[in-house]
Amino acid sequence: MAISYKRLWKKLIDKEMKKSDLAKAADLSTWTINKLNHGENVNADTLAKICVVLDCGFDDIMEIIPEKK
């Protein structure tokens, strides 16, 4: 199973925000933004901080991609 944050990046574009703006507003480290860039797992607290800043839900910023069999 993989996680895609393409929805997050699109939402940032729609809101005319940079990743650095998000990091500052949600109090995220550069390391966390890097993890998101690479589609790595981050904890639910981090996702919740992002959702509060962007006024959205988890499904608005991420997508779970099932493994191909």
Side-chain angles (χ1 to χ4, degrees):
M1 167 176 66
I3 297 175
S4 170
Y5 296 104
K6 287 181 183 177
R7 293 177 181 179
L8 170 59
W9 310 134
K10 181 174 181 341
K11 189 165 265 310
L12 287 181
I13 291 167
D14 292 345
K15 291 190 174 266
E16 297 181 356
M17 286 181 76
K18 296 178 183 177
K19 293 175 185 177
S20 58
D21 297 333
L22 175 64
K24 185 175 181 179
D27 193 29
L28 304 176
S29 68
T30 305
W31 182 75
T32 300
I33 295 293
N34 236 1
K35 286 184 78 169
L36 292 166
N37 274 331
H38 291 97
E40 296 177 17
N41 292 332
V42 294
N43 66 38
D45 288 341
T46 299
L47 296 174
K49 286 180 182 181
I50 293 169
C51 288
V52 167
V53 168
L54 298 177
D55 190 30
C56 65
F58 285 173
D59 60 336
D60 295 320
I61 62 168
M62 63 180 281
E63 177 181 16
I64 297 172
I65 310 216
E67 291 181 17
K68 295 179 181 176
K69 293 183 180 183

